Amino acid sequence: MDELSIRIKIADREYPMKVKVEDEARVRSAGKQINERIRSYREQFGIDDKQDLLAMVAFDCLVDKMESDEKQHNIDDSVVDKVKQLNNLINQSL
């Protein structure tokens, strides 16, 4: 299991971390997206307090995740329904 030691800068603070080689790009992208959201909120709302900005980003990310989870659940339910319909058709034709 190869791990890299990297540093991610978020809100002007550096965070050292160890990540799997295959996760490095995703982790760096996440750090970049967090900083972009911080910048966006700073510009949009005129807020300079980093704790407030990080809290807003955390809240925004959780709302996005909850929405994604809900959509995935709906897709899963739809797939299950389609499989049941196909099973019924197969059983009827046997």
Side-chain angles (χ1 to χ4, degrees):
M1 186 160 89
D2 293 328
E3 288 190 339
L4 295 173
S5 292
I6 64 172
R7 300 177 78 74
I8 301 295
K9 191 171 186 177
I10 297 173
D12 299 326
R13 290 183 74 176
E14 286 197 1
Y15 297 92
M17 57 184 66
K18 291 186 181 229
V19 297
K20 295 177 185 174
V21 173
E22 62 266 22
D23 293 337
E24 179 188 11
R26 184 179 310 112
V27 170
R28 290 190 186 279
S29 177
K32 184 178 178 182
Q33 288 180 38
I34 290 169
N35 286 319
E36 287 172 1
R37 286 188 186 197
I38 288 171
R39 182 189 51 75
S40 173
Y41 282 133
R42 183 181 297 129
E43 292 172 358
Q44 185 176 358
F45 299 112
I47 298 170
D48 286 324
D49 184 83
K50 289 183 177 129
Q51 184 173 349
D52 288 343
L53 290 165
L54 286 168
M56 292 171 71
V57 170
F59 182 79
D60 194 33
C61 288
L62 186 56
V63 169
D64 288 349
K65 183 182 180 329
M66 291 171 70
E67 180 182 354
S68 176
D69 288 350
E70 184 178 313
K71 286 180 182 177
Q72 185 61 46
H73 179 73
N74 290 340
I75 290 169
D76 290 347
D77 286 348
S78 176
V79 169
V80 168
D81 288 344
K82 293 292 182 188
V83 170
K84 285 180 182 178
Q85 289 174 3
L86 290 171
N87 279 335
N88 285 338
L89 287 172
I90 291 169
N91 285 335
Q92 289 174 2
S93 65
L94 293 176

